[in-house]
Amino acid sequence: MNISQKIETSVTVSEQDMANAIRFLAMDAVQKANSGHPGMPMGMADAVSVLFNRFVKIDPSMPYWPDRDRFVLSAGHGSMLLYAIHHLIGFTDMPMSELAAFRQMGSKTAGHPEYGHALGVETTTGPLGQGIATAVGMAIAEQMMAARFGSSLCDHFTYVVAGDGCLQEGISHEAIDLAGHLKLRKMIVLWDDNHISIDGATKLSTSMNQLARFRAAGWDAQAVDGHDPDAVAKAIDRARKSRKPSLIACRTKIGKGAASMEGSHKTHGAALGDKEIAATREKLGWPHPPFFVPEEIKSAWENVALRGQAVRKAWELRRDTSRSRKRYEQTIGREQGADVARRLAKFRAEHRAKATKVATRQASQMALEVINDATTLTIGGSADLTGSNLTMTSQTAPITAGNFKGRYLHYGIREHGMAAAMNGIALHGGFIPYGGTFLVFSDYARGAIRLSALMGLPVVYVLTHDSIGLGEDGPTHQPVEHLAMLRATPNLNVFRPADIIETAECWEIALTEKATPSVLALSRQALPMLRTAQGEENLSIRGAYVLRETKGPRDVTLLATGSEVEIAIAAADTLRREKGIEAAVVSMPCWEKFEAQDETYREQTLGSAPRIAIEAAGRLGWDRWMGARGSFIGMRGFGASAPAGELYKHFGITAEHAAAEALRLIGHDTGGRRR
Amino acid sequence: MNISQKIETSVTVSEQDMANAIRFLAMDAVQKANSGHPGMPMGMADAVSVLFNRFVKIDPSMPYWPDRDRFVLSAGHGSMLLYAIHHLIGFTDMPMSELAAFRQMGSKTAGHPEYGHALGVETTTGPLGQGIATAVGMAIAEQMMAARFGSSLCDHFTYVVAGDGCLQEGISHEAIDLAGHLKLRKMIVLWDDNHISIDGATKLSTSMNQLARFRAAGWDAQAVDGHDPDAVAKAIDRARKSRKPSLIACRTKIGKGAASMEGSHKTHGAALGDKEIAATREKLGWPHPPFFVPEEIKSAWENVALRGQAVRKAWELRRDTSRSRKRYEQTIGREQGADVARRLAKFRAEHRAKATKVATRQASQMALEVINDATTLTIGGSADLTGSNLTMTSQTAPITAGNFKGRYLHYGIREHGMAAAMNGIALHGGFIPYGGTFLVFSDYARGAIRLSALMGLPVVYVLTHDSIGLGEDGPTHQPVEHLAMLRATPNLNVFRPADIIETAECWEIALTEKATPSVLALSRQALPMLRTAQGEENLSIRGAYVLRETKGPRDVTLLATGSEVEIAIAAADTLRREKGIEAAVVSMPCWEKFEAQDETYREQTLGSAPRIAIEAAGRLGWDRWMGARGSFIGMRGFGASAPAGELYKHFGITAEHAAAEALRLIGHDTGGRRR
């Protein structure tokens, strides 16, 4: 039993006092900002005070100590709950002045909790359901670390506070099904069961028996009065001992304590008003001015930090004397070493020599076979498309409820849950998650992919079947707008490699990114090796490069990505052979990287000749690269169901079309050279 | 009791024979295409044969007869199940030659069932979970029509065949929670409980007790042997009598009947091979050649159509003699009449005279107040943001489990479920659904929005809080990439009106679209009325137009949408006043409509002067309109949490910046005019 498992209570100050401190800080901050959500912090103040006062191990002086408990405020609109606690237990970046600057420019107290913005925020929340689904990943990572290093180095809980919104969102289903299946016994969800959502009573839109629902998913589920500290403590205690993940339904009143508005949905998303707050001070016997907490209450909260500090120091001692220390620190620090890059360089040289022709999804698997051998940090998975995404390698044994030593997660048919779980694994630390689905089903994972980008997490999305090239499955499975959607997302690298060499290069880049997630858009169909030129240099890192230069001045430049680079090369060959026209081919595996190059390189690469962009997707975004005189060959609408080769012809994405368009563009109407 | 409720069985031919016809057609078609999914049609052939043979009312000679039962193949990869049945019961566009052209270019037998492509396909499926969630909308629409016209004109069931994937996807949670809450008693889901998904056994990734889960959501749930016709029939019979929506777990073997591969995940997504099929012919005693069904079995299937035809004719008689006939036909035909346009024109004139300054979300509500009064076809709703999206009007009483006469759905915190339900309502016919959420949460609904577009449904998405202009909620709530994501989607009109006049115009256009869904991106913040010029003409219909022309030649053209048009106008004023520079302002409320204009209009509107695009969103897509010499003022990354005005300044989206950029762009470095 570690120290945090002892139930300690403060002697002089009641948990009611501690909770009231949260309540008034939340009311005051929202009132000052005239913006925000007081209802939830007030409603959950009692339960969360008990959670922190008696259970949570956390040390504000070392916020990212690896074996801390994770606390996830899934109902992120209740951010003042978190900020109030962070102030009270003494996070250095959360003085009272920050609470008074709630939701103001440059403050630490953003409207919703943002990872990396204020210390100790474990994950960005706000889009409902993301927190609970991300927590599943954290709890998985905890079990994986424990399986590797034992409970003396890894033994912590993942606590979640979730609202009705979190539990209504579809992602919650994916999350709790996966958590129940994997028996994530150290995941504990406190549900703010307040019977209120924004439109009014929850009975306007749901009749769900949540306890029965969670039990159906293999969870332990309890219901308690969320304003009864001992009942809450007893439930948490039981949950911590359960062999299953746990739901604790805390029956609460939203805006608990408010003089006249307690229980009303009006407390949810707006300031209560000076008058109501004054009346509430009266009612709760809180004579203090705004943004003031009496010393003894502050001190009771600081005991949480002191307890956490002691636990942290004891843990450090165990770590320092552990024989696994070095390996542990390499893992938690995500130190890959130089092996991955070195072996991928060798891999590229070998396949360049062999001119290996494979689908880029297969190239990805071949690269992963090397990567997963060179580092143990990578954790694979797929949303039930393992044999299509080719995300499994010989090193990645499945992770199961009984065995977390494996390196592969069968995420099930749950793209959104997978993406959020990957975020959680990355946030926990210790691993680099990658997961697969079809590119078109990035739609289903959008909410969590956006958070990968917003949080800047090293997560890799392996998105195969990346165009009409998947063929017969038809328009529901053929991405058309998805590259644009992903490229439009800030801080997300979207890679679309053209052959096995670029695929290995893109994997190498993806794994070296510390604060940017990656998408690998990969073909179903086989693609020839196009990078015939020798050289070890990773050219994809510049985002775009001249794959095929002209003899002398360029007549035209063909821009393409992925499976269409082959078409561009064929068009260039045709133009030279049949018309004596010189076309350069620029492969553009990553627009984001190209955009980051200096202007000289960009201009040199794109050239001043007319440009044709070729991509089996929509045009949106391409005008930037092809310029006003340029031309686009790609999709104008949705795809169709037929074999891939016929589709390319049907939609005119062919070397013949590209060559004809080049002739048209440069005003070349008869045979012979223009110049 | 109507005729379809009588349980009839064919005398000479067993349902086993009928099911085997499906099995062999599926095997043969997939084999010929060497692509497709035989396992599911084979596994569910028995249950679905019972369903059609004894229950479904459907008339292939009149596929869109309004009171038919709806059959939704949510597990869309099993499309051959549907095509086989359509052939067997005599859909005119489904002769045997179409089955033999499965998944080939131009055939009716696309890889996944596509609405509008083959007759009688009720909805496009393939992305898992969409079918079951769309069916919820169909069942809601059925109840709404019944509430308006009585059971003599509307009384049909919505049957769904769903697989494990459908039930694992998060959208299924949103769907079943909503269906249970609304007590959609005529929705019946047959779950193909085959214990197999693509990666292998479902126990690789789920431990869910589905029956308990559905019961927790207020459903009736039964489990039967899916290969026992009478057990299946009994369960369906009970489900039809239940006061709740029903799940029937049909325990099946995937690939049922296959000689050696029965029960294996290998039958899921690939042809079985000639040898296996031959052995299966042997095993099942089916001596017939590929693509052949004996006359008596075909005839048994055709009885389904004959029964359906009789029921349809009886219904037509009731309709023809109904006193509600005219109103019924106007409703089912979605005939709005001229009132909407006329009254919206009046609305615009009034507010032009008053120069009404309101947020466009509020303008939308004011327009809706007129629209909902002028037509009863519109059905509003919101994903629990009614007071923010402003989607409710005085006409839209809520729809509840006991009363479907209302016109407003509290969809709950379920964006994806809402979007799919709106698709279902539109598909059913009789109504025009619109539903609200924040623009940023279009992420959560992406999968269903894409299907709105792919199917071409008259659905309207009211997406408010459309930029950093929402202020303090911060980056999780501020859309940056969403306009690009939606504009990249084919066949989707994305409207971003600049003021109350454009908002009313965009609503008018959205309601007249027959085969294109609409997005209205609306501001949280108040926007001045900018369309000061008189005139009744709907200018938004051209997608973009010159809102403010220059005196004489243009020095620069400012392009903007929505809340940034105000900024463009202010910049133009500043430029004229302070520098004597003439800037035209082009409002671009709908790129898609503008793209559809002829080139002359487009060039005239955009002009030949340098252009600056202003939009509080990412740049992707704008280069097309601003041209190579153009400049973009907008977002370069995610937003931040602060009051809206400060954010606009912080990110440089201001009239000052636009004016300065104009000066830079036209090389105007000192005072005075350039020319």
Side-chain angles (χ1 to χ4, degrees):
Chain A
M1 173 182 271
N2 73 39
I3 193 167
S4 75
Q5 286 172 316
K6 282 198 301 182
I7 295 177
E8 293 176 18
T9 49
S10 176
V11 191
T12 54
V13 172
S14 72
E15 279 165 336
Q16 173 81 52
D17 295 328
M18 294 173 76
N20 282 345
I22 294 175
R23 288 193 172 95
F24 283 99
L25 291 175
M27 274 184 273
D28 292 341
V30 173
Q31 186 63 33
K32 179 139 193 268
N34 195 25
S35 171
H37 302 76
M40 190 285 229
M42 295 173 75
M44 282 300 280
D46 294 319
V48 173
S49 292
V50 169
L51 177 68
F52 275 82
N53 192 42
R54 308 198 202 183
F55 300 98
V56 170
K57 63 172 181 179
I58 182 176
D59 178 4
S61 71
M62 197 160 282
Y64 298 108
W65 156 49
D67 199 34
R68 71 195 181 277
D69 285 340
R70 304 301 194 271
F71 176 75
V72 173
L73 188 73
S74 191
H77 53 275
S79 57
M80 268 310 301
L81 178 73
L82 193 66
Y83 300 145
I85 292 171
H86 278 204
H87 167 74
L88 291 165
I89 65 176
F91 273 91
T92 54
D93 67 343
M94 204 53 76
M96 195 63 94
S97 58
E98 287 292 337
L99 301 191
F102 183 49
R103 292 183 155 228
Q104 302 308 302
M105 182 69 79
S107 76
K108 289 288 173 187
T109 45
H112 292 81
E114 288 177 39
Y115 172 74
H117 185 72
L119 292 175
V121 174
E122 299 286 2
T123 181
T124 296
T125 51
L128 296 175
Q130 293 294 335
I132 188 171
T134 303
V136 170
M138 294 176 179
I140 290 171
E142 194 268 349
Q143 292 284 293
M144 290 198 293
M145 285 299 282
R148 280 156 182 73
F149 298 100
S151 62
S152 74
L153 289 189
C154 184
D155 182 14
H156 55 265
F157 285 87
T158 301
Y159 296 107
V160 179
V161 166
D164 290 295
C166 296
L167 301 195
Q168 284 190 33
E169 291 287 0
I171 190 174
S172 69
H173 170 60
E174 303 183 17
I176 72 168
D177 194 355
L178 186 58
H181 178 68
L182 291 174
K183 296 193 168 53
L184 299 175
R185 62 186 174 83
K186 288 159 93 177
M187 176 168 178
I188 297 173
V189 176
L190 278 72
W191 166 36
D192 180 17
D193 180 18
N194 62 19
H195 294 204
I196 292 290
S197 70
I198 293 176
D199 275 8
T202 50
K203 69 181 176 198
L204 282 174
S205 59
T206 184
S207 305
M208 181 66 79
N209 179 336
Q210 292 288 2
L211 269 67
R213 173 196 174 203
F214 274 77
R215 286 179 189 135
W219 286 54
D220 188 63
Q222 311 172 63
V224 297
D225 175 353
H227 301 306
D228 177 343
D230 289 332
V232 170
K234 207 172 140 191
I236 295 172
D237 201 44
R238 172 174 146 176
R240 287 162 56 106
K241 289 172 184 149
S242 168
R243 308 302 298 168
K244 303 172 178 180
S246 283
L247 175 78
I248 301 171
C250 300
R251 182 70 182 93
T252 62
K253 286 188 178 164
I254 192 168
K256 170 76 179 177
S260 74
M261 291 161 76
E262 179 180 288
S264 162
H265 71 107
K266 289 176 191 162
T267 66
H268 168 79
L272 301 187
D274 286 325
K275 211 174 143 189
E276 174 78 3
I277 295 175
T280 303
R281 282 194 148 72
E282 195 77 26
K283 177 183 166 193
L284 297 184
W286 187 269
H288 319 296
F291 300 110
F292 177 85
V293 176
E295 193 48 43
E296 66 277 15
I297 296 181
K298 182 84 166 63
S299 172
W301 273 105
E302 282 163 356
N303 281 337
V304 173
L306 290 176
R307 187 188 66 220
Q309 199 171 54
V311 176
R312 189 257 301 167
K313 284 182 178 166
W315 174 86
E316 280 174 349
L317 208 64
R318 293 199 299 280
R319 179 200 56 191
D320 293 349
T321 55
S322 165
R323 284 183 303 178
S324 318
R325 178 172 182 173
K326 193 177 161 197
R327 194 167 53 87
Y328 175 83
E329 291 187 333
Q330 282 170 346
T331 301
I332 207 75
R334 283 198 199 103
E335 294 167 29
Q336 287 171 48
D339 233 27
V340 172
R342 191 179 53 74
R343 291 181 57 180
L344 282 177
K346 192 169 156 237
F347 174 89
R348 297 202 302 268
E350 277 171 19
H351 288 288
R352 186 177 293 116
K354 287 197 277 187
T356 304
K357 177 179 179 170
V358 288
T360 48
R361 63 178 171 139
Q362 199 180 336
S364 165
Q365 188 181 40
M366 293 160 75
L368 276 171
E369 187 69 35
V370 172
I371 292 162
N372 290 341
D373 202 54
T375 175
T376 56
L377 295 174
T378 42
I379 301 294
S382 167
D384 197 47
L385 287 169
T386 296
S388 299
N389 304 142
L390 300 176
T391 34
M392 194 176 246
T393 65
S394 64
Q395 303 84 0
T396 58
I399 290 158
T400 65
N403 184 357
F404 283 82
K405 286 200 170 154
R407 290 175 59 189
Y408 197 85
L409 281 153
H410 286 289
Y411 285 107
I413 301 130
R414 307 186 186 103
E415 300 79 11
H416 207 175
M418 173 176 76
M422 289 204 293
N423 287 343
I425 292 170
L427 284 163
H428 180 279
F431 305 100
I432 301 172
Y434 68 86
T437 185
F438 290 161
L439 175 56
V440 82
F441 297 135
S442 58
D443 279 351
Y444 277 46
R446 257 300 294 171
I449 293 175
R450 183 171 208 256
L451 285 187
S452 307
L454 182 54
M455 291 193 270
L457 301 177
V459 164
V460 184
Y461 293 95
V462 181
L463 303 179
T464 69
H465 295 59
D466 71 348
S467 75
I468 53 166
L470 65 84
E472 292 89 343
D473 273 344
T476 53
H477 284 54
Q478 290 162 355
V480 169
E481 68 273 40
H482 300 77
L483 290 170
M485 166 178 99
L486 296 164
R487 286 169 178 155
T489 307
N491 193 38
L492 177 65
N493 287 330
V494 181
F495 297 100
R496 191 164 186 253
D499 68 358
I500 188 169
I501 307 300
E502 282 192 5
T503 304
E505 289 178 341
C506 294
W507 258 116
E508 185 186 334
I509 302 165
L511 291 174
T512 55
E513 292 285 350
K514 300 287 179 222
T516 303
S518 300
V519 160
L520 295 173
L522 302 171
S523 75
R524 178 189 185 217
Q525 70 273 34
L527 300 177
M529 209 270 308
L530 299 171
R531 268 279 283 293
T532 45
Q534 294 305 310
E536 294 298 298
E537 199 190 347
N538 183 330
L539 296 177
S540 298
I541 209 162
R542 307 203 77 166
Y545 64 92
V546 182
L547 175 64
R548 180 193 196 274
E549 197 40 288
T550 51
K551 299 173 186 162
R554 293 186 192 176
D555 292 317
V556 64
T557 299
L558 307 175
L559 313 175
T561 74
S563 45
E564 286 72 69
V565 179
E566 175 187 8
I567 291 170
I569 293 276
D573 285 344
T574 303
L575 285 166
R576 178 182 286 166
R577 192 175 58 242
E578 296 184 4
K579 303 287 177 180
I581 284 175
E582 284 295 312
V585 173
V586 174
S587 179
M588 301 188 72
C590 182
W591 289 14
E592 295 77 17
K593 291 286 175 196
F594 186 55
E595 199 178 343
Q597 302 301 308
D598 61 54
E599 203 175 326
T600 312
Y601 177 78
R602 289 206 310 261
E603 286 184 357
Q604 208 172 358
T605 305
L606 295 173
S608 54
R611 297 173 210 143
I612 299 174
I614 314 171
E615 187 168 68
R619 170 174 168 173
L620 199 96
W622 270 107
D623 288 74
R624 173 149 188 196
W625 310 122
M626 72 199 198
R629 287 190 300 153
S631 182
F632 177 72
I633 292 179
M635 299 294 289
R636 291 166 167 276
F638 292 106
S641 171
E646 288 181 44
L647 290 172
Y648 270 91
K649 279 193 205 104
H650 177 76
F651 291 110
I653 306 172
T654 61
E656 295 69 40
H657 183 192
E661 188 61 19
L663 294 179
R664 195 190 65 76
L665 209 60
I666 61 182
H668 183 104
D669 27 30
T670 60
R673 295 194 69 149
R674 184 172 53 100
R675 289 195 309 275
Chain B
M1 173 181 273
N2 74 39
I3 192 168
S4 75
Q5 288 172 315
K6 282 197 300 181
I7 294 178
E8 292 178 17
T9 48
S10 176
V11 191
T12 54
V13 171
S14 72
E15 280 165 335
Q16 174 80 51
D17 294 328
M18 294 174 75
N20 281 344
I22 294 175
R23 288 195 172 94
F24 283 99
L25 290 175
M27 273 183 276
D28 291 341
V30 173
Q31 186 64 32
K32 179 137 192 270
N34 195 25
S35 171
H37 302 75
M40 190 283 228
M42 296 172 74
M44 281 300 281
D46 294 318
V48 173
S49 293
V50 169
L51 176 68
F52 275 82
N53 192 43
R54 308 199 201 182
F55 299 99
V56 170
K57 62 171 181 180
I58 183 175
D59 179 4
S61 73
M62 196 159 283
Y64 299 107
W65 157 49
D67 199 34
R68 69 194 180 279
D69 286 339
R70 305 300 193 272
F71 176 76
V72 173
L73 188 72
S74 191
H77 53 275
S79 56
M80 269 309 302
L81 179 75
L82 192 66
Y83 300 144
I85 292 171
H86 279 205
H87 167 74
L88 291 164
I89 66 178
F91 273 91
T92 54
D93 67 343
M94 205 54 74
M96 194 64 92
S97 57
E98 287 292 339
L99 302 192
F102 182 50
R103 293 184 156 229
Q104 303 308 303
M105 182 67 80
S107 77
K108 290 287 173 189
T109 43
H112 292 81
E114 287 177 40
Y115 172 74
H117 186 74
L119 292 174
V121 174
E122 299 286 3
T123 181
T124 296
T125 50
L128 295 174
Q130 294 293 335
I132 188 171
T134 303
V136 170
M138 295 177 179
I140 289 171
E142 194 269 349
Q143 292 285 292
M144 291 197 294
M145 285 298 283
R148 281 156 181 73
F149 298 101
S151 62
S152 74
L153 289 189
C154 185
D155 182 14
H156 56 265
F157 285 87
T158 301
Y159 297 106
V160 179
V161 167
D164 291 294
C166 296
L167 301 195
Q168 284 191 32
E169 290 287 0
I171 190 174
S172 69
H173 169 60
E174 303 183 17
I176 73 168
D177 194 356
L178 186 60
H181 177 68
L182 291 174
K183 294 193 169 53
L184 300 176
R185 62 186 175 83
K186 288 159 94 176
M187 175 167 179
I188 297 174
V189 176
L190 279 70
W191 166 35
D192 180 17
D193 179 19
N194 62 20
H195 294 205
I196 292 291
S197 70
I198 293 176
D199 275 8
T202 51
K203 69 181 174 194
L204 281 174
S205 60
T206 184
S207 305
M208 181 67 78
N209 180 336
Q210 292 288 1
L211 267 68
R213 173 196 174 202
F214 275 77
R215 285 176 189 139
W219 285 54
D220 188 62
Q222 309 172 65
V224 298
D225 175 354
H227 302 305
D228 176 344
D230 289 332
V232 170
K234 208 172 140 191
I236 296 172
D237 201 44
R238 172 175 147 176
R240 287 162 55 105
K241 290 170 184 151
S242 168
R243 309 301 299 167
K244 304 173 177 180
S246 283
L247 173 77
I248 302 172
C250 302
R251 182 69 182 94
T252 62
K253 285 187 178 165
I254 192 168
K256 170 78 179 174
S260 73
M261 292 162 75
E262 178 180 288
S264 162
H265 71 107
K266 289 176 190 163
T267 67
H268 168 79
L272 302 186
D274 286 326
K275 212 173 139 189
E276 175 79 3
I277 296 175
T280 304
R281 283 194 146 75
E282 195 75 24
K283 177 182 166 192
L284 299 183
W286 189 268
H288 318 294
F291 300 108
F292 176 85
V293 176
E295 193 49 44
E296 65 278 14
I297 297 180
K298 182 84 167 63
S299 173
W301 273 105
E302 281 162 357
N303 281 338
V304 173
L306 291 175
R307 186 187 66 218
Q309 197 170 57
V311 176
R312 189 257 302 168
K313 284 181 175 164
W315 174 86
E316 279 174 349
L317 209 64
R318 294 198 298 280
R319 179 201 56 190
D320 293 348
T321 55
S322 165
R323 285 182 302 178
S324 318
R325 178 174 181 172
K326 193 174 161 201
R327 193 166 53 86
Y328 176 85
E329 290 187 334
Q330 282 169 345
T331 301
I332 207 74
R334 285 201 196 97
E335 294 168 29
Q336 289 171 48
D339 232 24
V340 173
R342 191 180 54 75
R343 291 182 56 181
L344 281 178
K346 190 166 158 242
F347 173 90
R348 296 202 302 267
E350 279 171 15
H351 288 288
R352 187 177 291 114
K354 287 197 276 187
T356 304
K357 177 179 178 170
V358 288
T360 48
R361 63 178 170 140
Q362 199 180 334
S364 166
Q365 188 182 41
M366 293 161 75
L368 276 170
E369 188 69 35
V370 172
I371 292 162
N372 290 340
D373 201 56
T375 175
T376 57
L377 295 175
T378 42
I379 302 295
S382 167
D384 196 47
L385 288 170
T386 295
S388 300
N389 304 143
L390 299 175
T391 34
M392 194 175 248
T393 66
S394 64
Q395 303 85 1
T396 56
I399 290 158
T400 63
N403 184 356
F404 282 83
K405 286 199 170 154
R407 289 175 62 189
Y408 197 84
L409 281 154
H410 286 289
Y411 284 108
I413 302 130
R414 307 186 186 103
E415 299 79 9
H416 207 174
M418 172 176 77
M422 291 204 291
N423 286 343
I425 292 169
L427 284 163
H428 180 278
F431 304 99
I432 301 173
Y434 68 87
T437 185
F438 291 161
L439 175 56
V440 81
F441 298 136
S442 59
D443 279 349
Y444 277 45
R446 258 299 295 170
I449 293 174
R450 184 172 209 253
L451 285 187
S452 307
L454 182 56
M455 291 193 272
L457 301 178
V459 165
V460 184
Y461 293 94
V462 181
L463 303 179
T464 69
H465 296 58
D466 71 347
S467 75
I468 53 166
L470 63 85
E472 292 89 343
D473 273 344
T476 54
H477 285 53
Q478 290 161 356
V480 169
E481 68 273 40
H482 301 77
L483 291 169
M485 167 177 97
L486 296 163
R487 286 168 179 157
T489 307
N491 193 40
L492 177 65
N493 287 332
V494 182
F495 296 101
R496 192 165 186 252
D499 69 0
I500 189 169
I501 307 300
E502 282 191 7
T503 304
E505 288 178 342
C506 293
W507 258 115
E508 185 186 332
I509 302 165
L511 291 174
T512 54
E513 292 285 351
K514 300 285 180 226
T516 303
S518 299
V519 161
L520 295 173
L522 303 171
S523 75
R524 177 189 184 216
Q525 69 274 32
L527 299 177
M529 209 272 306
L530 299 171
R531 268 279 283 291
T532 46
Q534 295 304 311
E536 293 299 297
E537 198 190 346
N538 183 331
L539 297 178
S540 299
I541 209 162
R542 307 204 79 166
Y545 63 93
V546 181
L547 175 64
R548 180 193 196 275
E549 196 41 287
T550 52
K551 301 172 187 162
R554 292 187 193 176
D555 292 318
V556 64
T557 300
L558 307 176
L559 314 174
T561 74
S563 45
E564 286 71 68
V565 179
E566 175 186 9
I567 291 171
I569 294 277
D573 286 345
T574 303
L575 284 167
R576 177 182 288 167
R577 192 174 59 242
E578 297 184 4
K579 304 285 178 180
I581 285 176
E582 284 296 311
V585 174
V586 174
S587 180
M588 301 189 72
C590 183
W591 289 14
E592 294 77 17
K593 291 285 176 198
F594 186 54
E595 199 178 344
Q597 302 301 309
D598 61 55
E599 203 175 327
T600 312
Y601 177 78
R602 289 206 310 262
E603 286 183 357
Q604 209 172 358
T605 305
L606 295 173
S608 54
R611 297 172 211 145
I612 298 174
I614 314 173
E615 187 168 68
R619 170 173 168 174
L620 200 97
W622 271 107
D623 288 75
R624 174 153 189 192
W625 310 121
M626 71 200 197
R629 286 188 302 153
S631 183
F632 177 71
I633 293 178
M635 299 294 290
R636 290 167 168 275
F638 292 107
S641 170
E646 289 180 45
L647 290 173
Y648 271 90
K649 279 194 205 102
H650 178 75
F651 290 111
I653 307 172
T654 61
E656 296 68 39
H657 183 193
E661 187 63 18
L663 294 179
R664 196 191 63 77
L665 210 59
I666 62 184
H668 183 104
D669 28 31
T670 60
R673 294 195 69 147
R674 185 171 53 100
R675 289 194 310 273

